[in-house]
C-alpha cells in the first residue's frame, strides 16, 4: 500500500502546526533502549557499561546514566574508561550503531558475552551483510558515511575484514576518489588525502578496478544516490565495460526504513505553505541534521534539542550544524497570524521532546487550552 506522507495539521487558530507524518524514534532506537533498561532491571548489583552513547540524544543518554549505566567511550571513540578496568563479571552493551570487530574481539578476550547484550540495529547489520555480498564478488567497498560516526566506523571494520574498503563522506570526496580511478591524481596522494579512511594494505592501482557502494543508514537519500550514480559513470567512462556490473556493483542504497520515511515525510511536509520549520533532535545526530538540510532548502529552519531552546516569542537558541555552533536568533516568529510552523524530529529523539516544543509554542500563542483539548481528543 502506498504510504501517506502528508503532514498532520494541528490547528490552534493563530498557530498552525504541520507535524511530519513520520518522525522520531525508529525501531532500532526503541529496541536498544528497551534492552538497556531491561538489562539494568535484570542485573541488580552488576556494573553495566555502554560502549559509547546509545544513540545521539543527550536526554536519552542522561536517562541511561541516571540508571547507573556508564559509558566506556565518548561518541568519537575516545576512551573514557580503560578496557583494562573491565572484568568478565561486567556487562557491556553494544549500542544501536554496532561496533568494530576489533572492539568486539577485545571484549571477548576479557570474557564479556557480547552477543547477549548487543543492541546493534538489524538495519545496520543489513549494511554489513550487503558489503560482505559485494566483497564476495570481488568488488572494493566504498562506504558513503561520516568517517568518525560510530556506525560508519563499525561498517568500515566489517567491510574491511572482507574486502578493500574506503569511506567517502560526501560528493566532494567521491569526486576526489574518482581522480584516482581515472589516474588524474598521483597514486601516492591517495594515502594522505584519505588517511584514516581506507583499509590496511589498500592498493590504489589494484583496488579501484571494481567497486560497489554502501552507505551509513542515516545519510541523505539524494546524496547517496548522486554519489553512486556519479561513481558508476566514472567506472563506465574509464573501463567501457560491455555490462556496467563488470565494474560497478548494482545495488540499492542501504539507508534504513526510518531514514527513508522521515526524509520522505519532510518532503511531504515541505509542500505545506509555512513560515518556518523546527527540527528537534540531538546536535550530533546524523539523521536529524539531514532533515534540517532538507528544510533549510525551502524556509528558515531552527534545529533545537528541546523546548528550552525556545527562549521566548522573540528569541530562539538553535544549532547551526554546518559551523557546529549554537546561535541566538531574534524575531524568529513572523509578526502575523496565523503563523504556520513545520515540525519534525530525528530517529533518536523521544516524542516527549516534540510534545514539549509544541506546548511551548502553544504557550507563546496563548492557545494551551486548545492543546489540552486536542490531547483529550487523542486519548
Ligand atoms: S536510524 Fe535506522 S539504522 Fe539507525 S537505529 Fe534507527 S532503524 Fe536502525
Amino acid at each position: 500500500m502506498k504510504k501517506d506522507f502528508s503532514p498532520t495539521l494541528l490547528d490552534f487558530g493563530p498557530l498552525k502546526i504541520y507535524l511530519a507524518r513520520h518522525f522520531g524514534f525508529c525501531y532500532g532506537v526503541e529496541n536498544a533502549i528497551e534492552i538497556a533498561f531491561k538489562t539494568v532491571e535484570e542485573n541488580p548489583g552488576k556494573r553495566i557499561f555502554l560502549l559509547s552513547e546509545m544513540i545521539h540524544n543527550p536526554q536519552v543518554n542522561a536517562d541511561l546514566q541516571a540508571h547507573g549505566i556508564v559509558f566506556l567511550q565518548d561518541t568519537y571513540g575516545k576512551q573514557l574508561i580503560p578496557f583494562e578496568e573491565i572484568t568478565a563479571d561486567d556487562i557491556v552493551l553494544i549500542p544501536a550503531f554496532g561496533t568494530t570487530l576489533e572492539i568486539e574481539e577485545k571484549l571477548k578476550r576479557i570474557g564479556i558475552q557480547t552477543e547477549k547484550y548487543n543492541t546493534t540495529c538489524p538495519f545496520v547489520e543489513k549494511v554489513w551483510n550487503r558489503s560482505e555480498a559485494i566483497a564476495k564478488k570481488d568488488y572494493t567497498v566504498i562506504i558513503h558515511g561520516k568517517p568518525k560516526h560510530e556506525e560508519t566506523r563499525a561498517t568500515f571494520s566489517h567491510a574491511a575484514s572482507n574486502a578493500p574498503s574506503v569511506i567517502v563522506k560526501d560528493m566532494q570526496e567521491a569526486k576526489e576518489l574518482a581522480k584516482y580511478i581515472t589516474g588524474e591524481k598521483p597514486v601516492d596522494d591517495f594515502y594522505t588525502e584519505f588517511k584514516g579512511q581506507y583499509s590496511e594494505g589498500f592498493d590504489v592501482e589494484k583496488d579501484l578496478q571494481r567497486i560497489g557502494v554502501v552507505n551509513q543508514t542515516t545519510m541523505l537519500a539524494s546524496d547517496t544516490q548522486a554519489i553512486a550514480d556519479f561513481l558508476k559513470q566514472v567506472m563506465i567512462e574509464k573501463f567501457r565495460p560491455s555490462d556496467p556490473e563488470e565494474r560497478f556493483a548494482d545495488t540499492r542504497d542501504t539507508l534504513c526504513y526510518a531514514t527513508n520515511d522521515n526524509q520522505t515525510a519532510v518532503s511531504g511536509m515541505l509542500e505545506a505553505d509555512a513560515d518556518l520549520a523546527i527540527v528537534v533532535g540531538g546536535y550530533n545526530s546524523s539523521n536529524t541534521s539531514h532533515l534540517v538540510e532538507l528544510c533549510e532548502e525551502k524556509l528558515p529552519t531552527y534545529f533545537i534539542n528541546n523546548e528550552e531552546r525556545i527562549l521566548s516569542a522573540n528569541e530562539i537558541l538553535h544549532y547551526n550544524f554546518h559551523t557546529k555552533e549554537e546561535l541566538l536568533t531574534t524575531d524568529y516568529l513572523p509578526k502575523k497570524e496565523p503563523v504556520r510552523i513545520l515540525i519534525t524530529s530525528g530517529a533518536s529523539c523521544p516524542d516527549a521532546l516534540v510534545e514539549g516544543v509544541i506546548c511551548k509554542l502553544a504557550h507563546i500563542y496563548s492557545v494551551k487550552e486548545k492543546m489540552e483539548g486536542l490531547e483529550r481528543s487523542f486519548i
Side-chain angles (χ1 to χ4, degrees), residues 96-142:
F97 312 114
T99 193
T100 63
L101 289 169
E102 297 75 21
I103 291 181
E104 217 176 299
E105 200 39 56
K106 209 176 260 183
L107 292 172
K108 278 191 185 142
R109 274 203 303 271
I110 297 171
I112 301 285
Q113 290 175 280
T114 48
E115 323 75 45
K116 203 166 166 196
Y117 301 103
N118 188 347
T119 78
T120 306
C121 177
F123 293 97
V124 173
E125 284 173 340
K126 206 172 138 191
V127 186
W128 301 348
N129 294 340
R130 179 76 63 81
S131 61
E132 194 181 333
I134 290 175
K136 276 195 183 138
K137 292 183 186 160
D138 288 331
Y139 293 103
T140 288
V141 184
I142 312 290

Side-chain angles (χ1 to χ4, degrees), residues 52-53 56 73-78 148-150 153 284:
S52 63
E53 289 190 352
H56 288 150
Q73 296 180 328
D74 73 8
T75 187
Y76 303 106
K78 193 174 145 246
K148 292 199 173 122
H149 192 284
E150 291 99 320
R153 289 204 305 265
N284 55 351

Side-chain angles (χ1 to χ4, degrees), residues 41-227:
E41 211 179 288
E42 291 173 353
N43 295 281
K46 276 237 181 201
R47 294 201 305 171
I48 303 174
F49 296 95
L50 234 171
L51 261 187
S52 63
E53 289 190 352
M54 174 59 88
I55 54 169
H56 288 150
N57 188 282
Q59 285 83 4
V60 173
N61 289 320
D63 202 15
L64 291 166
Q65 285 171 309
H67 280 79
I69 294 181
V70 177
F71 293 172
L72 280 182
Q73 296 180 328
D74 73 8
T75 187
Y76 303 106
K78 193 174 145 246
Q79 206 68 29
L80 300 173
I81 294 179
F83 279 109
E84 293 71 44
E85 286 187 20
I86 310 299
T87 72
D89 280 340
D90 297 325
I91 291 173
V92 179
L93 288 154
I94 294 179
F97 312 114
T99 193
T100 63
L101 289 169
E102 297 75 21
I103 291 181
E104 217 176 299
E105 200 39 56
K106 209 176 260 183
L107 292 172
K108 278 191 185 142
R109 274 203 303 271
I110 297 171
I112 301 285
Q113 290 175 280
T114 48
E115 323 75 45
K116 203 166 166 196
Y117 301 103
N118 188 347
T119 78
T120 306
C121 177
F123 293 97
V124 173
E125 284 173 340
K126 206 172 138 191
V127 186
W128 301 348
N129 294 340
R130 179 76 63 81
S131 61
E132 194 181 333
I134 290 175
K136 276 195 183 138
K137 292 183 186 160
D138 288 331
Y139 293 103
T140 288
V141 184
I142 312 290
I143 302 158
H144 173 218
K146 299 182 176 170
K148 292 199 173 122
H149 192 284
E150 291 99 320
E151 184 195 314
T152 295
R153 289 204 305 265
T155 296
F156 175 69
S157 151
H158 282 258
S161 71
N162 294 307
S165 309
V166 194
I167 303 172
V168 291
K169 78 167 188 291
D170 52 22
M171 180 57 104
Q172 192 47 45
E173 282 198 356
K175 284 184 177 164
E176 295 313 315
L177 181 70
K179 290 180 187 160
Y180 296 102
I181 297 173
T182 57
E184 267 171 80
K185 276 190 155 181
V187 166
D188 286 350
D189 289 6
F190 171 86
Y191 300 99
T192 356
E193 191 171 357
F194 284 90
K195 192 165 183 272
Q197 292 175 221
Y198 59 85
S199 53
E200 211 183 311
F202 195 93
D203 182 335
V204 178
E205 283 166 340
K206 194 163 91 6
D207 296 333
L208 291 174
Q209 302 271 326
R210 275 165 69 81
I211 61 170
V213 178
V214 297
N215 51 270
Q216 189 181 317
T217 56
T218 50
M219 300 310 273
L220 195 59
S222 52
D223 281 358
T224 288
Q225 193 55 51
I227 286 172

